[in-house]
């Protein structure tokens, strides 16, 4: 007869319901894997009277998450309620009481994860958050456990399903951002208020959490240069496709001489890059380290069941080692200058319809030390260009040169580009 450990669950939305359902139905399987039997003792929700699709026999259900945390019958606290301030307060309350915490809350961890980790370390209990980053894609475990002997040099990732769905539909349907967003909302891939996703904040938080692990440094959300997809034009999606690629929201982390450069921004992904072909709600991470080389993980990065899988995995790991406290960052790498990182560039320039205007634009860029590797004429008198790898700040400065040319009506877009050999 194995010992029984009480679990408290804060939040019973899509993810919480999937977690509760598995805890109630598969406690024997989970017990065999954990070495002790998890028992869902209590659930806290905003409205206990609301009908639920999950049956919770012999489980207390109320609107008192503080009471749940303080309950002696609850030894492990699972937070899937979302939000920042109250969720952070509840997690801190649990950790102070010596109770391990599992969370899917990337926003709270991005803002207060360092303090929560320090509190967990001080109390000697675990704080796990696989579900906060890649849902069922075990990217946290990769960095926290599998590559402990490696020195990570860079990461590139597509890690927000909502924006990937929107950009994929813009590409395949030839539709505008607004139309693709409305479709994503109708299909349940985007929230009524999609700003956290489309403005890049969700991806930035996930990039930050992974970068803290990868580079062993107390980086903050202010370190991430973040641009969302709201300004992505259908013309750029079409041009990227004509050049053989696709526009994606890509998070980058690059070790530099001065620190770590972090960015989230729309990027043209070309064939030859591991992120090429990552479409719809799929997520992917490409990591480079000194010993393992290039490591790619790819799979579903969103959805209730996928996220619940990560939560349950963390529950089992916590039950096996509740005192496995997080390691605190041991170095102080600062935020590096992303403008100094070399990547290929994409530009879309509006021409004035003068003969040989395109050749003059290309020549002006090459005179500035920016070789052009491909070009494509586009409707409306536009010219789309791909460049060799150069520092981003060089590409941005070159736009000033192009804007001053008599044959140029304006630089419409400048984006990063990856892949293509």
């Amino acid at each position: 007869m194995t010992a029984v450990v009480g679990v408290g669950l804060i939040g019973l939305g899509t993810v919480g319901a999937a977690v509760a359902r598995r805890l109630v139905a598969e406690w024997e399987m989970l017990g065999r894997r954990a070495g002790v039997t998890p028992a869902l003792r209590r659930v806290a929700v905003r409205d206990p009277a609301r009908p639920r699709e999950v049956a919770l026999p012999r489980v207390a259900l109320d609107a008192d998450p503080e009471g749940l945390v303080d309950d002696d019958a609850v030894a492990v606290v699972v937070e899937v309620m979302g939000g920042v301030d109250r969720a952070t307060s509840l997690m801190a309350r649990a950790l102070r009481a010596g109770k391990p915490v599992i969370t899917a809350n990337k926003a709270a961890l991005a803002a207060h994860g360092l303090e929560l980790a320090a509190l967990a370390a001080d109390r000697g209990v675990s704080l796990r958050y696989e579900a906060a980053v890649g849902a069922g894609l075990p990217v946290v475990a990769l960095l926290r456990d599998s590559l402990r002997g490696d020195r990570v040099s860079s990461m590139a990732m597509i890690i927000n399903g909502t924006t990937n769905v929107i950009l994929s539909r813009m590409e395949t349907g030839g539709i505008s951002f607004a139309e693709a967003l409305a479709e994503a909302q109708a299909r349940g891939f985007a929230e009524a208020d999609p700003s956290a996703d489309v403005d890049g904040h969700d991806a930035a938080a996930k990039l930050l959490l992974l970068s803290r692990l990868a580079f062993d440094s107390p980086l903050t959300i202010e370190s991430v240069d973040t641009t969302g997809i709201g300004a992505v034009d259908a013309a750029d999606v079409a041009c990227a496709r004509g050049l053989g690629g696709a526009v994606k929201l890509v998070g980058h982390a690059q070790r530099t001489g001065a620190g770590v450069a972090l960015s989230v921004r729309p990027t043209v992904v070309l064939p030859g890059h591991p992120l090429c072909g990552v479409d719809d709600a799929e997520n992917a991470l490409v990591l480079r380290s000194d010993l393992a080389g290039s490591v790619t993980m790819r799979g579903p990065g969103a959805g209730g069941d996928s996220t619940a899988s990560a939560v349950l995995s963390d529950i089992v790991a916590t039950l096996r080692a509740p005192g496995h406290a997080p390691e605190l960052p041991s170095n102080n790498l600062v935020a590096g200058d992303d403008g100094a990182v070399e990547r290929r560039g994409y530009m879309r320039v509006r021409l004035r319809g003068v003969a040989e205007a395109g050749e003059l634009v290309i020549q002006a860029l090459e005179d500035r030390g920016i070789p052009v590797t491909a070009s494509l004429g586009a409707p409306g008198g536009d010219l789309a260009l791909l460049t060799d790898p150069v520092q981003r700040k060089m590409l941005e400065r070159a736009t000033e040169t192009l804007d001053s040319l008599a044959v140029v009506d304006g630089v419409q877009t400048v984006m990063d580009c990856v892949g293509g050999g």
Side-chain angles (χ1 to χ4, degrees):
M1 184 70 177
T2 61
V4 176
V5 176
V7 177
L9 178 64
I10 305 174
L12 200 62
T14 303
V15 175
V19 171
R21 190 175 294 113
R22 183 55 61 98
L23 283 171
V24 170
E26 299 287 357
W27 58 269
E28 289 180 297
M29 176 195 74
L30 296 170
R32 286 194 299 272
R33 295 177 179 181
V36 297
T37 300
L40 184 60
R41 298 296 194 196
R42 189 164 172 175
V43 177
V45 296
R46 184 177 291 109
D47 180 10
R50 202 183 89 191
R52 308 282 171 179
E53 294 184 0
V54 57
L56 298 174
R58 298 179 298 280
V59 176
L61 178 69
D62 57 44
D64 182 14
E66 286 82 8
L68 179 151
V69 170
D70 296 340
D71 193 335
D72 290 340
V74 171
V76 174
V77 174
V78 180
E79 184 276 311
V80 289
M81 66 181 289
V84 175
D85 293 340
R86 193 176 188 193
T88 300
S89 175
L90 290 165
M91 287 189 279
R93 189 183 186 112
L95 293 170
R96 287 192 193 96
K99 298 183 179 184
V101 169
I102 296 106
T103 181
N105 194 329
K106 85 279 294 181
L109 290 174
H112 301 290
L114 295 173
E115 303 99 289
L116 290 172
L119 187 54
D122 181 67
R123 295 300 190 272
V125 295
S126 66
L127 170 66
R128 295 182 181 270
Y129 52 91
E130 185 71 74
V133 183
L137 204 63
V139 290
V140 171
L142 174 71
L143 290 166
R144 186 190 58 219
D145 302 324
S146 302
L147 296 177
R148 293 291 297 277
D150 281 60
R151 182 180 175 85
V152 175
S153 57
S154 68
M155 297 186 293
M157 62 195 74
I158 295 172
I159 204 158
N160 179 270
T162 297
T163 54
N164 215 35
V165 166
I166 291 170
L167 292 170
S168 294
R169 277 297 293 137
M170 289 178 71
E171 179 188 1
T172 59
I175 58 179
S176 69
F177 167 79
E179 291 170 316
L181 171 58
E183 279 192 15
Q185 289 171 322
R187 295 170 58 197
F189 284 110
E191 301 287 345
D193 177 5
S195 56
D197 294 310
V198 301
D199 292 345
H201 302 309
D202 176 88
K206 294 172 179 177
L207 173 69
L208 175 67
L209 297 182
L210 293 181
S211 296
R212 285 173 179 167
L213 289 172
F215 303 106
D216 193 24
S217 185
L219 299 161
T220 66
I221 196 64
E222 291 76 22
S223 306
V224 186
D225 185 350
T226 305
T227 302
I229 67 168
V232 173
D233 195 292
D236 291 308
V237 175
C239 287
R241 187 172 187 175
L243 291 164
V247 179
K248 302 290 182 184
L249 185 68
V250 177
H252 272 114
Q254 176 76 49
R255 190 186 291 269
T256 68
V260 181
L262 304 176
S263 66
V264 168
R265 56 174 74 104
T267 300
V268 175
V269 180
L270 298 175
H273 195 278
L275 295 181
C276 182
V278 178
D279 296 322
D280 296 314
E282 194 173 29
N283 282 189
L285 166 74
V286 182
L287 177 149
R288 298 184 188 280
S289 70
D290 57 348
L291 298 180
S294 180
V295 177
T296 300
M297 299 185 75
R298 178 172 171 173
D305 287 347
S306 181
T307 306
S309 171
V311 173
L312 288 156
S313 177
D314 276 350
I315 291 173
V316 170
T318 297
L319 294 176
R320 292 179 66 87
H324 187 71
E327 295 180 9
L328 302 180
S330 61
N331 67 54
N332 288 304
L333 286 175
V334 298
D337 178 12
D338 190 64
V341 175
E342 289 195 355
R343 295 194 189 101
R344 298 188 69 180
Y346 163 90
M347 302 180 74
R348 180 166 60 91
V349 181
R350 182 148 296 165
L351 306 178
R352 293 188 185 276
V354 180
E356 300 181 346
E359 289 84 348
L360 291 171
V361 167
I362 292 172
Q363 186 61 54
L365 287 171
E366 294 189 340
D367 287 346
R368 294 292 302 266
I370 303 174
V372 174
T373 59
S375 63
L376 174 73
D382 289 356
L383 178 69
L385 305 166
L386 296 178
T387 77
D388 267 348
V390 295
Q391 289 186 343
R392 182 178 175 83
K393 57 189 175 186
M394 285 183 60
L395 199 64
E396 291 173 343
R397 283 199 294 265
T399 63
E400 300 173 8
T401 299
L402 297 185
D403 277 330
S404 68
L405 296 178
V407 297
V408 172
D409 197 31
V411 177
Q412 304 300 301
T413 309
V414 178
M415 285 194 279
D416 291 345
C417 175
V418 295

